[in-house]
Amino acid sequence: MIGILAAPLDPANDEARRWAEQELSEPDYQPPEPSWFDRFGERLWEWIADNVFGWFGGSDTLRAIVIVLAIALVLGLVVVVIRHLRRNPRIPRPTGAAPSESVLTGPARSAAEFRSDADTAFAAGQYDACVLAAVRAVARRGIERGLLADEPSLTAHEVAVDLGPRFPAHDAGLHRATDLFDAIAYGDRHASAESAREVLELERAVSSARPAEPDVNRPRRLAVPR
């Protein structure tokens, strides 16, 4: 005769309930904690229910319309933002780096034409446009005289770096003028009448000055023959 190996499990009702409560209290059976997004959504919904729905009384139809319109508005804003970011990607620029945009944009023009634009803009009180045209006149004049490389990617910073050693007396002024050019063209700075006049005088002085002999030990970009 086979002996009894273990007593059968036959707990009373109270004991079975206690076992079940202990089992269900284990972490595996507990619902997950709500995330911050869930809590934000709940609070937002409560605010809408307390403030927005009150405007429409107890009409369930109007409430449903408000919910649909709100969802459509949010989705529309998301689509607009995504399209804007795709069409206008922002490329990070290292701190202190000079702008990479070309100083000479648009159709090719002579230094005299840029200088005329600068004078016209100054007379009209358009000092930002005056500075931009005057610096472009300096750049174009440098190209016409074979002092600058005729490159589409030539920047205002490169104009000052290349022309400064050829006109030592105006080196500081060239850097100030090209820095102002960048701040106006690619930033939010505006020129004053005094700063615009200074750039005009610099353009006139550089265009009439005789350049110093180039430093043979200093590497420079070769100008393209015109």
Side-chain angles (χ1 to χ4, degrees), residues 125-188:
Q126 300 173 356
Y127 303 125
D128 289 352
C130 172
V131 169
L132 298 181
V135 172
R136 287 178 175 132
V138 171
R140 177 57 65 186
R141 187 82 65 184
I143 293 173
E144 292 173 352
R145 300 174 72 179
L147 304 176
L148 292 175
D150 189 2
E151 299 175 345
S153 61
L154 181 67
T155 67
H157 176 74
E158 291 170 341
V159 170
V161 169
D162 286 352
L163 289 184
R166 306 302 301 272
F167 302 96
H170 305 293
D171 181 56
L174 285 166
H175 281 84
R176 286 196 302 270
T178 54
D179 287 345
L180 180 58
F181 178 97
D182 288 339
I184 294 172
Y186 316 119
D188 56 0

